[in-house]
Amino acid sequence: MSSSPAGAVVPVTEDAAREAEEHKQRANQYIKEKKFALAVENYDLAIGVNPNNHVYYGNRALAHIRLENYGSAIVDADKCIELNPGYVKAYYRRADANLALNKIKLALLDFRRASKYAPKDPDLRRKLQQCEKAVKVMQFEKALATPQEEVVPAYSKVVLEDMVVEEGFTGSRMAKDAEGKDVVTLDFVLSMIEDFKAGRKLHRRYAYSIILGALEIFKELPNVVRVDVPKGSKFTVCGDVHGQFFDLLNIFELNGMVSEENPYLFNGDFVDRGSWSAEVIFTLFALKCLYPRSLHLARGNHESKNMNKIYGFEGEIQAKYTQQMADVFREVFCWLPLGHIINEKAFVVHGGLFASDDVTIPDLQSFDRNREPPDEGYMCEMLWSDPQEPLGRAPSKRGVAIQFGPDVTKAFLERNNLDLVIRSHEVKDEGYTVEHDGFLVTVFSAPNYCDHMGNKGAFITFSGEDFKMNFTKFSAVEHPDIKPMAYANNYLFGG
């Protein structure tokens, strides 16, 4: 007999073993159908009946990876290896989970361990080589790193005057003000969108004008921005869009374009995974320049250097524009606000709530957000935390920040005289969920996420009159045949 997860020997009858195999077969079928949450549920049942089978943990780790529950995947891989140290897939999956968390050195150790058991596996050898290369690059960059106090921002090196728009340029052109400065107009935005739909790029001068214009606005904002929705007006909150440009346009088709009369808040994770992240971010930044008080943008966990390196945004900007522009975007993302409060009622944040009970809005306004997200603390939790059904708090299934229960949500709202938490950060089958006795809403606006999850997207509209929520669900629309992750780091997503 093998040991149970608690370390004790668990006798398993033949009937129980057969029942566990039936649960596993159903779970495996759900994996094939890309219904990963249902797969996890059935692996849970299999493990509940027979906790001694290492394969169940290894398979559940794969399902957790597909759900981006990297912390849970690592726990399952650990258990699988405890039960069977020679099971190659467990090392492989733990490495993939650590790669997703940008823990490249830990991933490299597991790829090396796996290669001892399967030295001829071509995919494993490729990932091992690419991971070794990535570690060498990290070490080289660390050796060359400039002390923080001497760093010159990349955006300060951009000289628009040196970027001449050629007479023969046929793409969208910005208007100019009386001083000759580029100006974003609605006509330009609409023309730019048509160019993007046709696969055309911005001129780099206009691209930088948009980025730097948005940066000026973000720098003037606090960590948590207060938004007032007047009576008789509506306000729309959208969740993750993740580079799904054509689904973003569908939101505007369904709900109207951003305007002074039709304000929006996009609650983080504009980029990565989808292969039109450049088009999404230029559209949102241009609209921010055009309507600075009517379009609100919050930082998500994917507006960060580590995520952009792994999940495609950096590679996409390098491919479509330049590395310098990718560096500028990285700096601008550090200035994005971290949260919003709507009508002194709703706290809107990408991830969720906190590891301590005494957090107030003034606390969240008090730190410097102009940095890459830390591994712990308020900023990390705002970007990464998730809700859970049980009371209290628990380690995150993602491996970053925490999970928080309904009692934590209610206590935070009472402490800060608020009524509701709205967050994003998680795929939902219907595009949204209402949890924690109605005090917490999750909204996710990327339908058929990564072209395979089959979920709806959703957005929320509020009335300034009574602040009543209305949910609109929508399906994915057709897009050109470019796969998700087309620009992602291929040591994680290349096979």
Side-chain angles (χ1 to χ4, degrees):
M1 293 290 180
S2 299
S3 62
S4 74
V9 174
V10 177
V12 177
T13 66
E14 289 185 7
D15 287 344
R18 280 195 296 271
E19 180 186 346
E21 278 296 300
E22 290 172 1
H23 291 311
K24 185 197 81 169
Q25 293 302 326
R26 280 194 293 272
N28 289 352
Q29 183 59 37
Y30 283 131
I31 289 278
K32 292 178 182 178
E33 296 172 3
K34 300 180 179 179
K35 298 177 179 178
F36 303 114
L38 290 173
V40 168
E41 290 178 10
N42 279 271
Y43 290 131
D44 289 348
L45 293 172
I47 290 168
V49 176
N50 179 8
N52 306 322
N53 192 317
H54 66 278
V55 173
Y56 302 164
Y57 298 94
N59 288 5
R60 191 170 67 178
L62 175 61
H64 278 307
I65 288 171
R66 296 292 184 263
L67 290 168
E68 302 180 23
N69 298 338
Y70 302 117
S72 296
I74 291 168
V75 171
D76 273 346
D78 288 345
K79 184 61 184 178
C80 184
I81 291 166
E82 176 190 326
L83 292 171
N84 184 352
Y87 191 63
V88 175
K89 289 181 180 179
Y91 296 104
Y92 205 124
R93 286 164 187 166
R94 189 167 67 182
D96 278 350
N98 275 313
L99 279 176
L101 295 171
N102 204 44
K103 297 177 180 179
I104 297 176
K105 291 182 179 179
L106 289 177
L108 178 58
L109 289 174
D110 274 333
F111 282 138
R112 286 174 174 166
R113 292 178 181 120
S115 68
K116 291 180 181 179
Y117 292 102
K120 295 182 180 180
D121 185 318
D123 188 49
L124 179 56
R125 289 171 62 186
R126 176 182 57 80
K127 286 198 173 187
L128 175 59
Q129 291 170 357
Q130 291 171 338
C131 201
E132 287 175 336
K133 181 180 177 181
V135 169
K136 288 179 181 178
V137 169
M138 286 173 53
Q139 292 170 339
F140 181 71
E141 290 176 345
K142 185 176 181 180
L144 295 180
T146 304
Q148 188 62 38
E149 61 270 15
E150 299 177 16
V151 172
V152 178
Y155 66 78
S156 68
K157 302 175 186 177
V158 175
V159 182
L160 293 175
E161 292 74 18
D162 291 345
M163 301 177 191
V164 178
V165 181
E166 303 82 2
E167 288 187 10
F169 177 70
T170 58
S172 301
R173 288 177 176 264
M174 281 189 173
K176 295 186 180 298
D177 62 15
E179 299 177 355
K181 182 180 178 181
D182 297 330
V183 177
V184 176
T185 63
L186 180 58
D187 285 343
F188 170 77
V189 172
L190 297 177
S191 175
M192 177 186 72
I193 288 172
E194 292 302 313
D195 282 348
F196 289 161
K197 288 163 64 177
R200 295 188 290 268
K201 298 187 298 184
L202 279 171
H203 192 282
R204 67 188 185 109
R205 175 182 176 120
Y206 300 143
Y208 277 119
S209 290
I210 290 169
I211 300 168
L212 298 180
L215 174 62
E216 289 182 15
I217 297 168
F218 296 141
K219 280 187 169 185
E220 298 301 315
L221 298 175
N223 292 351
V224 179
V225 177
R226 284 181 158 82
V227 179
D228 180 52
V229 182
K231 291 183 178 180
S233 301
K234 79 168 185 177
F235 187 84
T236 302
V237 178
C238 298
D240 308 36
V241 291
H242 272 300
Q244 296 185 196
F245 176 66
F246 295 87
D247 294 310
L248 171 67
L249 298 186
N250 189 40
I251 293 173
F252 295 146
E253 184 72 24
L254 294 170
N255 194 54
M257 177 56 76
V258 179
S259 69
E260 292 178 357
E261 295 76 31
N262 193 28
Y264 281 78
L265 164 57
F266 284 85
N267 195 30
D269 281 12
F270 322 121
V271 301
D272 281 341
R273 295 193 177 276
S275 295
W276 290 271
S277 291
E279 289 75 11
V280 166
I281 200 64
F282 279 124
T283 299
L284 293 177
F285 276 14
L287 288 167
K288 182 65 178 177
C289 293
L290 181 60
Y291 300 115
R293 297 181 181 178
S294 300
L295 179 65
H296 306 276
L297 302 175
R299 191 176 190 177
N301 61 302
H302 276 268
E303 280 71 55
S304 64
K305 179 180 178 180
N306 288 344
M307 294 294 102
N308 295 164
K309 277 186 173 295
I310 296 171
Y311 292 97
F313 181 66
E314 181 179 86
E316 182 178 343
I317 296 300
Q318 289 171 343
K320 294 179 178 178
Y321 298 93
T322 64
Q323 177 62 53
Q324 181 193 28
M325 189 177 291
D327 292 339
V328 173
F329 267 120
R330 173 178 52 80
E331 294 170 349
V332 175
F333 287 163
C334 291
W335 282 102
L336 282 163
L338 300 172
H340 293 77
I341 295 175
I342 306 173
N343 277 16
E344 300 299 323
K345 294 179 181 291
F347 177 65
V348 189
V349 66
H350 179 73
L353 299 181
F354 308 96
S356 58
D357 287 322
D358 56 356
V359 179
T360 65
I361 301 303
D363 293 331
L364 304 181
Q365 302 286 30
S366 65
F367 60 85
D368 181 7
R369 72 178 185 275
N370 179 26
R371 57 168 298 176
E372 291 300 321
D375 294 332
E376 59 185 10
Y378 295 160
M379 185 174 179
C380 173
E381 291 154 0
M382 293 174 82
L383 297 176
W384 280 96
S385 289
D386 292 296
Q388 64 177 19
E389 291 183 13
L391 298 176
R393 297 175 173 88
S396 172
K397 60 192 175 186
R398 299 177 189 266
V400 185
I402 64 157
Q403 294 178 191
F404 59 96
D407 54 328
V408 176
T409 297
K410 293 172 189 175
F412 173 82
L413 293 173
E414 289 173 5
R415 190 177 307 109
N416 290 282
N417 195 28
L418 296 165
D419 297 340
L420 180 69
V421 173
I422 301 173
R423 41 90 63 182
S424 302
H425 195 39
E426 287 185 282
V427 182
K428 297 298 179 182
D429 288 344
E430 297 302 310
Y432 74 95
T433 56
V434 180
E435 303 170 83
H436 290 189
D437 300 319
F439 291 104
L440 183 138
V441 174
T442 298
V443 60
F444 191 86
S445 302
N448 195 25
Y449 180 46
C450 291
D451 283 0
H452 73 255
M453 292 298 285
N455 61 291
K456 300 285 188 183
F459 55 82
I460 308 168
T461 51
F462 292 94
S463 164
E465 195 74 34
D466 57 11
F467 208 65
K468 181 180 179 180
M469 287 185 292
N470 292 291
F471 298 96
T472 300
K473 299 187 293 185
F474 57 96
S475 298
V477 296
E478 291 186 5
H479 60 69
D481 188 20
I482 301 175
K483 302 301 182 186
M485 310 290 191
Y487 303 94
N489 201 320
N490 63 1
Y491 62 67
L492 181 55
F493 301 109

